[in-house]
Amino acid sequence: MLKQNLQQKLLQKLSPQQIQFIKLLQVPTVSLDTRIKEELEENPALEDLSLTNLNEPEEQYPDRDPDDDNFNNDEEKGEMDEFNIDDYLQEDNLNDYGSRYDQNGDDEDERKEIPIAVQSSFFESLQAQLDLLPLSDKDFMIGKQIIGSLDDDGYLRRPIMSLTDDLAFSQNVLAEDDEVEDMLKVIQGFDPPGVGARSLQECLLIQLRKKDVNDPIIKKAIQVVEHYLDEFTRKHYDKLEKSLNMNSTELRAVVNEILKLNPKPGDSNEINTKQMQVIPDFHITNNDGTLILTLNSKNAPELRVSRSYQEMFQHYDKASQKDKKLKEAVQFVKQKLDSAKWFIDAIKQRQQTLLKTMNAIMQYQYEFFLTGDDKNLKPMILKDIADRIGMDISTVSRVANSKYVQTEFGTFLLKSFFSEAIQTESGEEVSNKEVKKILEEHIGKEDKRHPLADEKLTEILKDAGYNIARRTVAKYREQMNIPVARLRKEL
């Protein structure tokens, strides 16, 4: 039996412009240039005024006052079939959003090219060492396969049998497991020490055996790594002293020797391309007790609609015959112009949203930005700022999670100013940042031979008027990447 039902659903659909704005909002300042360059490459109707002014030869527009360029004259504009050309025209010198923001010397310095050191990569360095060895073609191919199988830390995580199979199927080299093992030992002799290890234990042993093995401290260190690595990592020093018949002074020397070793040899000669340079999106300065907020000028690029595309519209308007091909061409131009306008509008909206959000955060945390004291940070959640600026919580979150502000006290991620409220015994609400600061101070001053356990830290906080459970103390300690008391113990 067929039944018909009428259902009403509320659906929220984002427009392409909204999606573009959301994506741009998440982009940090350091990546904005790249994003704009991508858009400039994809859309010829969009121009960067700073680049255009540099690239345009002067003789192309001789004896011309820029103020005289007016594409909006009544004589030259006509009514289009489906759209109005006026919507796309801008005066050449108009940068109504790019000139509002601080163009200070710091940002000029940021525009300078950063020299990059010429440095061979980790794998290139190993290959160069392999090239210097007098090897047979077969051994050379085996060595090359081993180097290519190392991970970024310099470890060989794959079994020897897998390498043997790869050599047979990919390189047409028939090798025995023993031959691969022998070549691995050769590569383990390369720099940096520890490369080619299959475990942390092997990595540390390779490094120790390259030292003076007749030194009694090195001998003991090899013993510790070879037979008592688990006790060492768990800092069970009492067991080590008994097992190796050492006093605390000798053990301290052995521990210090092991701590000098590099657990990730691959990192020692590798340029870390994943690490992104932090460029602040905002600057806050203190002018005699008054805070002044400025937006990094890199966030205000000088974009405009292309002049040549404007002229295409004029040419179309004046054409006496409008054939199908010309209409299709102009439709394409219109799409590119629409896209350029949307992008410029999204950049403007991004700037306004950034300033609005950061200004609200600055006003909320005014005392902190004046003093730089974490104890002056007020409890603040995303909703507090969203309510102040009349925007969605998700918008504030996107700004807070990816933007930085430079102050007199350092550069901070906006997310770090948000925290939950904790009530003291007197009934006052304070930020959990204040509690974390107290924890950090006491852990920093503790006797490392007898570090403070979570129970003791809980008692200290209670004495200071913060009635917090031990599990909350443990949570805060973990959030600050501070290990448990046993792992903080030193000899």
Side-chain angles (χ1 to χ4, degrees):
M1 187 176 176
L2 271 169
K3 284 187 179 180
Q4 282 186 328
N5 288 326
L6 186 63
Q7 288 185 333
Q8 190 175 14
K9 289 185 178 179
L10 183 64
L11 296 174
Q12 187 177 16
K13 198 171 183 181
L14 294 175
S15 68
Q17 296 95 313
Q18 289 172 314
I19 293 170
Q20 189 171 53
F21 164 66
I22 289 169
K23 287 182 177 178
L24 277 173
L25 191 61
Q26 294 176 150
V27 175
T29 299
V30 70
S31 304
L32 187 61
D33 277 347
T34 304
R35 176 66 189 90
I36 290 171
K37 282 174 186 173
E38 288 173 0
E39 192 70 22
L40 287 167
E41 288 172 5
E42 291 175 9
N43 190 355
L46 185 68
E47 287 183 350
D48 185 340
L49 264 175
S50 60
L51 296 176
T52 305
N53 292 339
L54 289 172
N55 296 334
E56 285 181 354
E58 291 182 12
E59 61 269 22
Q60 191 174 345
Y61 303 101
D63 301 322
R64 186 190 65 183
D65 186 344
D67 293 333
D68 293 338
D69 286 336
N70 185 1
F71 292 99
N72 293 325
N73 291 335
D74 292 335
E75 299 172 4
E76 294 184 349
K77 68 182 179 181
E79 194 67 22
M80 305 303 290
D81 290 345
E82 297 176 1
F83 47 85
N84 191 335
I85 190 172
D86 292 346
D87 295 338
Y88 299 98
L89 304 185
Q90 298 174 338
E91 292 182 22
D92 290 349
N93 291 335
L94 180 64
N95 184 17
D96 62 342
Y97 61 96
S99 59
R100 288 187 207 155
Y101 305 103
D102 183 44
Q103 305 264 346
N104 53 39
D106 292 340
D107 293 326
E108 289 299 321
D109 292 339
E110 288 167 6
R111 288 194 181 95
K112 293 177 184 176
E113 290 185 9
I114 300 170
I116 298 173
V118 177
Q119 181 177 352
S120 62
S121 74
F122 169 63
F123 295 99
E124 287 170 347
S125 172
L126 294 178
Q127 187 62 48
Q129 293 175 72
L130 184 70
D131 292 340
L132 295 174
L133 297 179
L135 299 171
S136 65
D137 289 346
K138 184 177 182 180
D139 284 343
F140 180 81
M141 291 301 294
I142 294 172
K144 193 173 179 181
Q145 186 71 32
I146 292 171
I147 290 171
S149 300
L150 301 179
D151 64 16
D152 290 338
D153 292 338
Y155 284 80
L156 180 66
R157 308 286 188 187
R158 303 183 62 209
I160 296 295
M161 189 182 296
S162 296
L163 297 184
T164 307
D165 291 342
D166 286 347
L167 284 163
F169 291 113
S170 303
Q171 310 295 334
N172 199 25
V173 175
L174 298 176
E176 298 295 330
D177 290 353
D178 291 344
E179 293 176 290
V180 177
E181 188 87 42
D182 289 342
M183 269 311 297
L184 176 61
K185 284 189 168 41
V186 172
I187 289 168
Q188 287 177 348
F190 287 1
D191 285 327
V195 69
R198 287 160 288 186
S199 66
L200 173 63
Q201 185 179 46
E202 188 175 25
C203 178
L204 300 179
L205 285 172
I206 290 169
Q207 294 176 62
L208 285 169
R209 284 168 181 159
K210 283 195 171 190
K211 296 176 181 283
D212 182 6
V213 292
N214 293 318
D215 185 325
I217 297 298
I218 301 297
K219 279 184 178 178
K220 292 286 186 183
I222 290 173
Q223 275 186 280
V224 169
V225 173
E226 200 164 12
H227 303 292
Y228 303 100
L229 186 60
D230 189 52
E231 285 82 356
F232 173 79
T233 55
R234 293 175 181 274
K235 294 195 174 184
H236 290 157
Y237 296 136
D238 295 341
K239 289 183 182 179
L240 289 175
E241 286 179 7
K242 289 178 183 176
S243 301
L244 295 168
N245 192 25
M246 288 188 294
N247 57 40
S248 59
T249 305
E250 289 174 318
L251 182 59
R252 188 182 300 113
V254 169
V255 168
N256 288 338
E257 194 64 45
I258 296 172
L259 292 176
K260 291 177 190 174
L261 306 176
N262 186 0
K264 294 182 179 181
D267 287 346
S268 59
N269 191 36
E270 183 72 340
I271 301 171
N272 190 358
T273 55
K274 294 179 183 177
Q275 190 174 13
M276 186 179 285
Q277 181 188 6
V278 172
I279 294 178
D281 303 83
F282 312 94
H283 299 86
I284 292 180
T285 52
N286 185 345
N287 186 8
D288 294 330
T290 302
L291 296 179
I292 299 172
L293 170 67
T294 52
L295 181 68
N296 189 323
S297 62
K298 282 181 176 286
N299 289 290
E302 300 177 61
L303 301 177
R304 71 171 184 188
V305 175
S306 164
R307 178 187 292 118
S308 61
Y309 269 63
Q310 296 171 4
E311 290 171 350
M312 285 185 197
F313 273 118
Q314 291 180 325
H315 175 73
Y316 173 75
D317 185 43
K318 291 175 181 177
S320 56
Q321 293 182 348
K322 300 181 180 67
D323 60 23
K324 185 179 177 183
K325 285 186 178 178
L326 186 57
K327 285 185 177 180
E328 287 176 354
V330 174
Q331 187 61 34
F332 169 80
V333 172
K334 179 183 182 295
Q335 289 173 354
K336 292 299 179 185
L337 283 167
D338 279 336
S339 180
K341 284 188 67 182
W342 290 345
F343 188 78
I344 291 171
D345 287 343
I347 290 285
K348 289 180 187 178
Q349 193 179 352
R350 177 183 185 274
Q351 294 158 15
Q352 292 161 3
T353 303
L354 290 181
L355 274 173
K356 206 173 182 180
T357 306
M358 186 63 235
N359 188 58
I361 292 172
M362 183 181 76
Q363 297 299 330
Y364 204 102
Q365 302 288 7
Y366 210 85
E367 284 301 314
F368 168 78
F369 289 114
L370 280 175
T371 63
D373 188 348
D374 282 349
K375 291 180 180 177
N376 287 331
L377 269 176
K378 294 164 62 179
M380 180 178 76
I381 58 176
L382 293 171
K383 189 176 183 300
D384 294 328
I385 300 302
D387 289 345
R388 282 197 172 202
I389 64 176
M391 290 186 177
D392 195 78
I393 290 175
S394 62
T395 302
V396 178
S397 177
R398 286 185 176 93
V399 175
N401 285 332
S402 60
K403 304 294 178 289
Y404 289 83
V405 59
Q406 182 178 307
T407 71
E408 296 175 4
F409 319 105
T411 300
F412 304 94
L413 182 65
L414 300 196
K415 185 180 178 181
S416 64
F417 302 126
F418 291 85
S419 60
E420 297 171 359
I422 288 178
Q423 202 166 44
T424 63
E425 286 184 352
S426 62
E428 181 189 1
E429 280 196 345
V430 297
S431 167
N432 62 9
K433 296 264 183 186
E434 185 175 326
V435 176
K436 288 180 181 179
K437 187 73 177 174
I438 295 169
L439 283 174
E440 192 175 29
E441 287 173 358
H442 279 90
I443 291 172
K445 293 186 294 185
E446 70 186 0
D447 180 357
K448 294 302 177 185
R449 291 173 298 181
H450 305 286
L452 300 170
D454 289 345
E455 290 83 359
K456 182 62 180 174
L457 291 170
T458 305
E459 290 175 17
I460 291 170
L461 286 172
K462 281 183 180 175
D463 291 342
Y466 303 98
N467 195 13
I468 298 173
R470 188 202 60 80
R471 63 178 178 276
T472 307
V473 170
K475 183 180 81 171
Y476 290 166
R477 177 180 49 71
E478 288 166 5
Q479 287 174 353
M480 293 187 290
N481 294 319
I482 297 174
V484 294
R486 178 172 49 80
L487 297 179
R488 300 199 304 272
K489 185 176 181 181
E490 295 177 7
L491 289 167

